[in-house]
Amino acid sequence: MAPISIKRILISESVDPCCKKILQENGIQVTEKQNMSKDDLIAEIKDYDGLVVRSATKVTADVINEAGNLQIIGRAGTGVDNVDVDAATKKGIIVMNTPSGNTISAAELTCTLLMSLSRHVPQAAMSMKAGNWDRKKFMGAEMYGKILGIVGLGRIGKEVATRMQSFGMKTIGYDPITPPEVTATWGVEQMSLEQLWPQCDYITVHTPLMPSTAGLLNNTSFAKCKKGVKVVNCARGGIIDEDALLRALESGQCGGAGLDVFVEEPPKNRALVNHPNVISCPHLGASTKEAQARCGQDIALQIVDMVMGKGLVGAVNAQVLASTFSPGSHQWIKLGEAIGAVLKSCTTSKQPFSQVQITTQGDCLKGSSGYMTSAVMVGLLTDVSKSFPNLVNSLTLAKESGIMVTRNHSEGLTQGACEVEVSVNGSSYRATGSVQGDSLVLLELNHSVFRQPVSLTGNLLFLKAAASPQLLPSVTGLLATAGVEIESFSAPAARSGDQWYCVGLSSLLGDLGALKPSVKEAAQLSV
């Protein structure tokens, strides 16, 4: 992938100083502004290529739509629920987080809350400060031999399991993505939520907040748990239904809760915070010096590596870009865009597209169909879509336009190639291209195979006409009348029937209508 130009970055929250230092050392201008309102951010964001935030800044669709130059939103932390990822994707903006920066800190706080719930440590400490000595009131329970249910077995869930196993706890869990055979190597037995709820003495959640996880622990699931189960949430507010939790605490179905996160932060409804069996913190999961330094360093290095074309790590909405940093991928991306542009020019009067099929061919393109598909759609949608298509948003824009996109790959061929077929208003158009050395070439257009590959560079005129010795002289005369010189001429291998030809021009023709007496279809573009 071509290096992305990031010249100015706004840091809108307190991020470790190493972040600014690393960015500046790599030639990026950095501005730091804290406690910005939404209106302030909307006014400021127009001047920046990049934005770095933590969890407090709300990067809404309104902010994103005002960001004319923004190419990257970097979240110095794990969750990105404060960023409208869909709006960013549609705008072609990369959203990046630091997936491992606060893993240890969040896991350690989870373990702290689990142990504090078991032994009532905060309540006992406050009682002592009030001058009391009440040993019986704070009778606790050992964690040894108890069952811990971990919902969400990613990086943090794994670290929690490892630590709590050292206390002699049995760890069970649920995760729809991580395979059971993998978690088994950590000592975590996976099962369904229906199987998990009744077994647990303690439950901790470590999932992102999304429609499928909102209210995961609710009235129904609490009713299936052991009476007195204790729960911890150091992930995101809303994964545990707060009203259901309060009812479970008051009934005794839940014996205690450790909460670092809330639906509303800071919470205006203090019922949970004030409950005697709740231990609460003001969202401290990543609030360690080590985690903040790690997250600040990670987001800066990830941005620099992306700008330098070294690689892409932590992209939330642009995973397709991760493979575009391999050697030679840039030329293939340019080829995909060029083929898309050729087909768009050939179908300008017939659009919109209904279907697009992209087939990559050859061992050298194995694993590249993702970015090649995105690249082709960039070429097809440029100047067609109201938005500006790029590799991040082209498939989203295609879907919104009602275009069905499919992709295939054929292995075993020595030379790599990309074949694209579009369906538009009942007609089908096809083009096949390849990369030869450093050159992008077109091998075939609408079943016309060129004798010599067409170099996809400069001003190109594509003509559909009956094979005839008079075609070239006729077209030459018409172009000369228009003051346009022919720089190259590519003919198809077939010598009969309607065929497609390509003419290299000194400049684009002002009116393609002048060619009508000699050709059946004509299209032109600059590559």
Side-chain angles (χ1 to χ4, degrees), residues 97-171:
N97 68 351
T98 54
S100 59
N102 62 2
T103 297
I104 299 301
S105 292
E108 288 183 353
L109 181 61
T110 300
C111 297
T112 300
L113 290 177
L114 286 167
M115 288 184 282
S116 296
L117 284 173
S118 180
R119 299 304 295 270
H120 312 295
V121 174
Q123 296 94 327
M126 292 302 296
S127 176
M128 285 286 289
K129 289 181 182 295
N132 300 318
W133 182 268
D134 200 341
R135 298 178 65 191
K136 292 182 179 180
K137 183 178 180 180
F138 301 113
M139 176 68 67
E142 291 183 352
M143 309 195 79
Y144 181 82
K146 302 299 191 301
I147 297 176
L148 171 64
I150 305 173
V151 180
L153 295 165
R155 280 178 284 269
I156 297 173
K158 176 184 177 182
E159 295 297 335
V160 170
T162 302
R163 284 156 177 75
M164 298 318 295
Q165 286 162 12
S166 67
F167 283 81
M169 296 193 84
K170 177 183 178 182
T171 50

Side-chain angles (χ1 to χ4, degrees), residues 461-482:
L461 173 65
F462 292 98
L463 307 170
K464 181 183 180 182
S468 167
Q470 300 304 315
L471 177 64
L472 182 57
S474 175
V475 170
T476 301
L478 290 169
L479 292 173
T481 301

